[in-house]
Amino acid sequence: MIKRDNDISSFIKLMNNEIDFYKEKNNPDWTPEKNSGFKSGLSYVRNLLKRLEKEINRV
C-alpha cells in the first residue's frame, strides 16, 4: 500500500511540474481560443490532482 501511495504522489508531482511548465505558454499554431481552452484544461486537471492528494492524505 505504501508503494502505491508513493507512486501516486510521484505522479501528482510530475503532473504539477508539467502544468507549471505549460500554464504560461501559448502554442503559436493554435488559435487564442484553443490556447485558452488548453489552459482551462490544465486548471481543471490541477484541481483534480489537489482533490486526489487530499484523499490520499485523508486515508
Side-chain angles (χ1 to χ4, degrees):
M1 186 71 162
I2 291 173
K3 181 171 179 1
R4 182 174 159 236
D5 287 347
N6 285 337
D7 289 345
I8 293 171
S9 293
S10 294
F11 174 75
I12 290 171
K13 283 182 184 178
L14 172 74
M15 292 303 297
N16 277 326
N17 287 341
E18 289 296 306
I19 290 169
D20 285 340
F21 179 79
Y22 285 107
K23 71 181 180 184
E24 298 298 325
K25 298 195 180 306
N26 285 315
N27 185 332
D29 295 330
W30 291 354
T31 64
E33 293 81 12
K34 188 169 182 177
N35 277 304
S36 178
F38 179 75
K39 290 177 183 174
S40 294
L42 291 176
S43 179
Y44 175 76
V45 170
R46 174 161 276 164
N47 288 336
L48 287 176
L49 292 171
K50 286 180 182 178
R51 289 175 49 200
L52 177 61
E53 195 167 37
K54 283 181 187 177
E55 276 299 311
I56 290 170
N57 291 330
R58 212 176 66 158
V59 173

